[in-house]
C-alpha cells in the first residue's frame, strides 16, 4: 500500500472518529433528563383543608451540569422552592412543593372526593433538558355532597344585620363540634338537625365593616368517630359593602392642576342625608357646612386653596348620616400630585 493511500485512510479514520465522538455527545445531551422517583409523586388521599407539603428529590441522570432557570408549579395553588437549581452530573437535590388544596377545589365544590393532579415543570431554556413530573392523589372533604355555596351578598353599610343560613351534610362518622369566624362584623352559630346534618347561621352586620369587597372566613371544627380533630375547614361568605353616601365621579382631578372642580355627592340608597362635620381640610375646601341637609344627590364644588404651591397631597373629610341610619359614615378625599388620581374611602365616623 502506498504512503499516499495510508495517509488517506488515516485521514478518513480521523474524520470518522471526530464525527462519532460528536454523535455520541449529541446523543448523550439528547438523553439528559431530571428524574423524580414515582413513589414521591403519589399523594394518596388528603384532606382538602390541609396544605400538602412534599419533598421531591430531583436527580440529574445526565453526564453534564443541568441548570434549571425556573420551576413552574402550574397554578396559583402550588408553591415551589427553590425557584432555580443547578445540578452536577449524577447529583440529586431536594425540591420543596407546597399545594393549597382549597384553591384546587374551587371548581369542584359540589363534590366530596375528586382527583388531584399537579404538574411541576423544570425549565432549563433547552427543550432537550426540560423535565416535568406529575403529582397525583385524591382530595377528600368531610362534607357530603352537594356542598351549598353561599350566595354573593351585596350590602349597604346602613342595612340592618343580615343572617345567611347554610345547610350542610357531614360524611358518616364526622361530627361538627364548633364554628368560628375571624372577620369583624361577622358571627356564626350552628344548629344540629340530625346526626349528619347541621344548619350554619352566619350573621353579618355591615355597620361594623369597611366599605368594599369582603370575604368572611368561617372555620368548621370537625372530629371523626375516634375523636380526632381534623384541620379546620374554611367556609367563606363573600360579598361587598357600599357606603350609603358616595362621591361621583370616584376619580377626580388628575393631580392638583386647577383651582376647583365639581363632583356629585349622592345617596346610594336614595335617601336624604345630613352633613355632621367637615374637617381635615389640608388644601381643599367645600361649601358643605355641618348641619346642612340634602336630598338624595347634590352637586358639590371642591376648591383647592393652594393650587400654585408644590403640594404633594390635599385631603378633605366629610362626616354624614343618612336618613333613618343608625351609624355615621365618613368620606375621605385625597388628591396627590403629580398626575395621580383621587380616591375615596368610607368608614364609620369617630
Amino acid at each position: 500500500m502506498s504512503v499516499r493511500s495510508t495517509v488517506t485512510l488515516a485521514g478518513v479514520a480521523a474524520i470518522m472518529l471526530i464525527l462519532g465522538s460528536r454523535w455520541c455527545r449529541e446523543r448523550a445531551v439528547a438523553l439528559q433528563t431530571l428524574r423524580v422517583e414515582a413513589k414521591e409523586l403519589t399523594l394518596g388521599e388528603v384532606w382538602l383543608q390541609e396544605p400538602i407539603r412534599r419533598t421531591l428529590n430531583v436527580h440529574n441522570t445526565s453526564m453534564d451540569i443541568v441548570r434549571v432557570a425556573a420551576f413552574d408549579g402550574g397554578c396559583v395553588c402550588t408553591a415551589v422552592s427553590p425557584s432555580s437549581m443547578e445540578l452536577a452530573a449524577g447529583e440529586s437535590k431536594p425540591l420543596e412543593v407546597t399545594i393549597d388544596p382549597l384553591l384546587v377545589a374551587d371548581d369542584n365544590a359540589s363534590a366530596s372526593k375528586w382527583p388531584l393532579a399537579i404538574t411541576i415543570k423544570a425549565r432549563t431554556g433547552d427543550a432537550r433538558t426540560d423535565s416535568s413530573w406529575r403529582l397525583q392523589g385524591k382530595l377528600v372533604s368531610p362534607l357530603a355532597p352537594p356542598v351549598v355555596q353561599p350566595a354573593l351578598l351585596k350590602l349597604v353599610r346602613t342595612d340592618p344585620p343580615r343572617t345567611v343560613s347554610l345547610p350542610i351534610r357531614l360524611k358518616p362518622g364526622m361530627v361538627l363540634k364548633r364554628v368560628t369566624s375571624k372577620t369583624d362584623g361577622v358571627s356564626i352559630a350552628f344548629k344540629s338537625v340530625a346526626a349528619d346534618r347541621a344548619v350554619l347561621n352566619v350573621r353579618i352586620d355591615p355597620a361594623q365593616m369597611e366599605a368594599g369587597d369582603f370575604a368572611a372566613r368561617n372555620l368548621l371544627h370537625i372530629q371523626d368517630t375516634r375523636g380526632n380533630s381534623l384541620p379546620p375547614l374554611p367556609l367563606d361568605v363573600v360579598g361587598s359593602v357600599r357606603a350609603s353616601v358616595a362621591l361621583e365621579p370616584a376619580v377626580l382631578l388628575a393631580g392638583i392642576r386647577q383651582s376647583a372642580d365639581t363632583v356629585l355627592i349622592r345617596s346610594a340608597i336614595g335617601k336624604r342625608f345630613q352633613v355632621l362635620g367637615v374637617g381635615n381640610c389640608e388644601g381643599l375646601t367645600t361649601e358643605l357646612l355641618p348641619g346642612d341637609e340634602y336630598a338624595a344627590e347634590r352637586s358639590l364644588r371642591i376648591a383647592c386653596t393652594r393650587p400654585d404651591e408644590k403640594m404633594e397631597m390635599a385631603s378633605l373629610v366629610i362626616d354624614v348620616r343618612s336618613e333613618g341610619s343608625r351609624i355615621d359614615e365618613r368620606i375621605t378625599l385625597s388628591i396627590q400630585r403629580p398626575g395621580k388620581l383621587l380616591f375615596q374611602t368610607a368608614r364609620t365616623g369617630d
Side-chain angles (χ1 to χ4, degrees):
M1 182 179 294
S2 66
V3 174
R4 184 173 180 176
S5 299
T6 303
V7 172
T8 301
L9 289 173
V12 171
I15 293 172
M16 291 180 66
L17 180 61
I18 293 172
L19 292 176
S21 298
R22 182 177 299 173
W23 180 87
C24 290
R25 181 170 180 77
E26 289 179 352
R27 180 64 175 168
V29 170
L31 292 176
Q32 282 184 358
T33 186
L34 302 177
R35 294 183 183 173
V36 173
E37 293 292 333
K39 63 182 180 180
E40 296 178 4
L41 302 174
T42 302
L43 301 175
E45 291 192 352
V46 292
W47 291 111
L48 74 88
Q49 68 267 32
E50 188 172 19
I52 303 168
R53 297 179 176 85
R54 182 59 58 95
T55 300
L56 305 181
N57 291 293
V58 182
H59 179 61
N60 179 8
T61 63
S62 75
M63 298 183 293
D64 293 313
I65 295 175
V66 174
R67 296 179 178 86
V68 179
F71 289 102
D72 182 2
C75 75
V76 295
C77 63
T78 305
V80 181
S81 180
S83 58
S84 60
M85 185 181 293
E86 179 175 309
L87 296 103
E91 185 180 13
S92 296
K93 286 186 177 180
L95 182 69
E96 303 297 332
V97 178
T98 303
I99 303 170
D100 185 346
L102 288 171
L103 296 177
V104 180
D106 280 348
D107 297 330
N108 301 275
S110 61
S112 63
K113 183 184 294 187
W114 52 90
L116 168 66
I118 300 293
T119 299
I120 308 296
K121 295 181 179 179
R123 304 188 184 278
T124 64
D126 187 340
R128 297 173 298 176
T129 54
D130 284 350
S131 302
S132 64
W133 316 286
R134 191 174 181 84
L135 291 95
Q136 298 188 85
K138 284 187 178 180
L139 291 178
V140 181
S141 170
L143 301 183
V147 178
V148 177
Q149 293 299 299
L152 182 68
L153 299 177
K154 294 184 178 181
L155 307 173
V156 178
R157 292 196 66 249
T158 53
D159 286 345
R162 180 181 299 187
T163 299
V164 179
S165 295
L166 302 172
I168 64 169
R169 285 188 60 200
L170 297 166
K171 285 185 175 178
M174 299 295 170
V175 180
L176 179 61
K177 302 299 291 185
R178 60 190 177 96
V179 291
T180 57
S181 178
K182 295 186 176 182
T183 304
D184 290 340
V186 178
S187 59
I188 186 170
F190 75 95
K191 178 176 66 175
S192 297
V193 295
D196 62 343
R197 296 172 188 263
V199 175
L200 304 179
N201 294 310
V202 184
R203 184 179 185 273
I204 300 174
D205 186 354
Q208 299 182 38
M209 304 177 74
E210 297 286 343
D213 295 335
F214 69 86
R217 171 141 292 189
N218 307 287
L219 299 178
L220 280 61
H221 301 267
I222 299 172
Q223 290 184 350
D224 61 19
T225 52
R226 293 173 292 183
N228 298 318
S229 296
L230 306 182
L233 176 65
L235 180 67
D236 293 343
V237 176
V238 298
S240 62
V241 175
R242 291 185 299 159
S244 67
V245 179
L247 295 174
E248 296 181 9
V251 176
L252 167 72
L253 301 180
I256 309 172
R257 291 200 292 263
Q258 39 193 330
S259 59
D261 206 341
T262 301
V263 295
L264 191 67
I265 184 166
R266 171 180 288 175
S267 169
I269 56 177
K271 293 186 177 181
R272 295 178 60 83
F273 59 89
Q274 182 181 35
V275 176
L276 302 179
V278 180
N280 238 17
C281 302
E282 299 176 2
L284 293 178
T285 60
T286 178
E287 67 268 30
L288 290 180
L289 295 174
D292 288 351
E293 290 191 6
Y294 298 102
E297 65 179 44
R298 180 185 186 280
S299 293
L300 177 65
R301 185 174 176 80
I302 303 290
C304 182
T305 58
R306 296 178 294 170
D308 298 326
E309 295 185 18
K310 293 183 178 180
M311 184 169 49
E312 294 298 324
M313 180 186 298
S315 62
L316 179 67
V317 172
I318 306 170
D319 290 329
V320 299
R321 172 171 284 194
S322 296
E323 184 180 25
S325 173
R326 58 198 171 95
I327 61 169
D328 302 342
E329 293 184 274
R330 172 166 292 178
I331 302 172
T332 303
L333 296 90
S334 296
I335 306 174
Q336 292 182 310
R337 171 196 298 274
K340 295 185 178 179
L341 303 180
L342 175 145
F343 59 90
Q344 67 166 353
T345 60
R347 65 176 185 274
T348 304
D350 297 332

